[in-house]
Amino acid sequence: MVTLAACAAEVRPPAVYPGERLYVEDHLRAIDAEAWPSVATVPQPRFASWRAQRAEAAFAKACAAAELVLEGADADLTVAHDALFHRLAAHGWIGFAESYLAGEWTTPDSAHLVKVLSALIATGYAPNTPDVPRQDVAGGELPPDLVRLYAGDRVSHQGGVYSTGVPTTVRHAIEAHEKRGKTHFVDITTLSEPTAVDREDLADAQVRAAQWLADAAQVGPGTHVLVYPASGVQAAVVSAGRRGVVDLLSADAEALRDVAEYLVFAGATDAVACHIVPQPLPGPKHWRGHYDAIISVEALESFPQADRVRYARMIERLLDGDGTAVIQTTVATESMSPAARGAVRGLQAFIWPGLDYPSTQDVHKLLDKHTGLRAVAQTHTGSHYRESLAQQRSFFAGHLREAAAAGYDPVYRRLWMYQFALREALFASNMLDSVAFSVVHRHRRGRR
């Protein structure tokens, strides 16, 4: 599920921060400054040397508290260039990511990268991190040839549900956020942690996750299903296998072409129709219809706050009165710390400009206050998502040469390893969770 979010912009570096002076060191001259402006240059704010010394001292203190080894054969990370501390002083966690992308600090392998990020966040390391400069958010999805490098032949980056997870369901009464302020019941299902997992299990786990989504959406013979965006292609294939009639929407023509090719390979072209829409949130002029089931995979968290109401109202408009929508998204838990939120800004800067993980309460509030919809069930699969990220990270690490051959430069390859490691660290720390919300029109609540 890679939040990685399906309606994210294509990978892009942040613009140079306003008012900064920059300089280029010798070790950065091989980096494409046009493609990676903030990586190819080192910021030099006022009192740069003094601020870098303070940043170095704070970083050393955090590493000591985290029990990270910085020197010797057993080092958890190695600092190769003092430019790291200038970046930390200027950009905080974003600078930490920039420095990793520049190769200014390294770890022995990707597992150590997860360890470093987990440990620093756990200690509460929170250097001053500026807001990400505003960018226009494109409607692209992740490049399909990139997704293949960590998800195999499938063009979906959806995470998995492993067969060893045992579900437990409890009904909870939660506070409604509509004006009358009543409570309503939600069936909350939690999966136990997967065991004895290896890389070969990922493909089956992705299919199983799609089956869970189709189950929650009550997809069966003749069900008219909307899958949005294209990252939910596995759910589209599963729905087609149940003799549903499926529409799949995307605002990215290139991604949709790859999805169409995969549907041919999966034998689902007769039941799944792919449609291009002009923007990530199609309005009534762009797409109409009434669907018995809607499956939306990893879109909500990637939209800026201003667009989330439009997203929820789009689901409401397209969902039939007796239908069920399933919204799968990554959420922040109560354990999400300021240090973790600072670290996430690195993902905002380089990959998903609108990324902001909601809480489960935020999702209920969004639906209750702005739509006539209501979440009546939610399934938590965070430990399985974490394991999927670990397998995807490992898979990508084994295909770095193929990534280079496909045209992904060293900065891009390090970026993708960094985002896997950071999100895995946040899931391992129980600061993020993956939740699928089953959503119906409010008038149906008494029928469940």
Side-chain angles (χ1 to χ4, degrees), residues 347-430:
L347 304 186
Q348 294 172 339
F350 286 96
I351 308 177
W352 299 288
L355 181 65
D356 184 15
Y357 295 115
S359 66
T360 55
Q361 237 357 52
D362 290 335
V363 177
H364 286 284
K365 187 175 181 179
L366 172 68
L367 298 172
D368 284 353
K369 294 193 71 172
H370 299 287
T371 73
L373 301 174
R374 170 156 293 165
V376 294
Q378 59 194 54
T379 300
H380 295 250
T381 58
S383 60
H384 292 248
Y385 197 115
R386 180 201 68 220
E387 188 60 51
S388 296
L389 286 171
Q391 300 306 324
Q392 289 170 346
R393 170 179 55 77
S394 174
F395 201 84
F396 185 72
H399 289 80
L400 291 178
R401 289 186 178 180
E402 290 87 341
Y408 294 103
D409 68 18
V411 176
Y412 206 124
R413 300 196 297 271
R414 285 192 287 263
L415 170 63
W416 224 243
M417 197 65 73
Y418 185 88
Q419 65 81 21
F420 277 132
L422 176 56
R423 291 187 300 120
E424 184 182 340
L426 294 176
F427 272 93
S429 302
N430 295 316

Side-chain angles (χ1 to χ4, degrees), residues 35-369:
W36 306 99
S38 66
V39 178
T41 54
V42 178
Q44 193 174 30
R46 295 181 62 190
F47 310 111
S49 296
W50 174 76
R51 293 179 63 182
Q53 289 172 8
R54 286 174 57 90
E56 181 177 3
F59 181 72
K61 182 178 180 180
C63 288
E67 299 182 348
L68 293 173
V69 179
L70 303 181
E71 296 179 342
D74 297 326
D76 295 307
L77 77 157
T78 301
V79 178
H81 294 278
D82 288 344
L84 164 63
F85 307 116
H86 287 273
R87 296 184 191 273
L88 284 172
H91 301 160
W93 271 105
I94 295 174
F96 193 57
E98 290 170 345
S99 189
Y100 180 77
L101 303 190
E104 293 163 354
W105 65 271
T106 60
T107 59
D109 51 38
S110 63
H112 277 81
L113 181 57
V114 177
K115 176 183 176 181
V116 167
L117 294 170
S118 297
L120 289 174
I121 291 170
T123 64
Y125 180 58
N128 186 33
T129 305
D131 292 333
V132 177
R134 183 176 177 82
Q135 304 177 48
D136 293 329
V137 180
E141 305 205 25
L142 294 175
D145 58 342
L146 174 65
V147 175
R148 286 193 182 94
L149 292 170
Y150 59 84
D153 292 333
R154 289 171 173 79
V155 292
S156 171
H157 50 255
Q158 180 178 346
V161 170
Y162 294 89
S163 60
T164 52
V166 178
T168 303
T169 302
V170 179
R171 176 164 290 189
H172 282 274
I174 69 168
E175 180 183 356
H177 295 277
E178 54 189 308
K179 291 182 180 179
R180 286 173 288 182
K182 297 180 180 179
T183 60
H184 66 280
F185 291 98
V186 177
D187 292 331
I188 299 179
T189 300
T190 304
L191 265 67
S192 63
E193 292 202 10
T195 58
V197 172
D198 59 36
R199 192 188 300 178
E200 286 69 29
D201 295 325
L202 178 60
D204 287 341
Q206 288 177 319
V207 173
R208 191 175 296 106
Q211 292 170 340
W212 277 59
L213 295 176
D215 288 344
Q218 302 177 24
V219 175
T223 304
H224 196 192
V225 185
L226 173 66
V227 175
Y228 161 85
S231 59
V233 63
Q234 281 301 319
V237 171
V238 168
S239 297
R242 298 182 180 191
R243 293 184 291 161
V245 179
V246 185
D247 287 324
L248 189 148
L249 300 187
S250 176
D252 189 312
E254 181 181 354
L256 205 59
R257 283 194 295 270
D258 263 63
V259 165
E261 291 178 9
Y262 177 69
L263 291 173
V264 172
F265 171 77
T269 52
D270 291 341
V272 181
C274 297
H275 306 275
I276 187 74
V277 288
Q279 58 188 43
L281 287 170
K285 293 182 180 179
H286 307 127
W287 193 256
R288 296 176 181 271
H290 287 90
Y291 293 91
D292 305 311
I294 297 175
I295 299 174
S296 180
V297 177
E298 299 195 354
L300 179 61
E301 66 267 48
S302 67
F303 284 121
Q305 292 290 344
D307 288 336
R308 292 184 181 180
V309 173
R310 290 176 54 208
Y311 168 85
R313 287 176 176 168
M314 180 192 74
I315 299 293
E316 178 184 26
R317 173 174 59 85
L318 296 173
L319 184 64
D320 188 76
D322 292 325
T324 300
V326 179
I327 299 172
Q328 184 273 318
T329 187
T330 298
V331 301
T333 71
E334 293 180 354
S335 300
M336 190 75 164
S337 66
R341 291 196 179 276
V344 168
R345 289 190 184 178
L347 304 186
Q348 294 172 339
F350 286 96
I351 308 177
W352 299 288
L355 181 65
D356 184 15
Y357 295 115
S359 66
T360 55
Q361 237 357 52
D362 290 335
V363 177
H364 286 284
K365 187 175 181 179
L366 172 68
L367 298 172
D368 284 353
K369 294 193 71 172

Side-chain angles (χ1 to χ4, degrees), residues 15-21 133:
V16 173
Y17 289 75
E20 283 189 344
R21 291 188 300 153

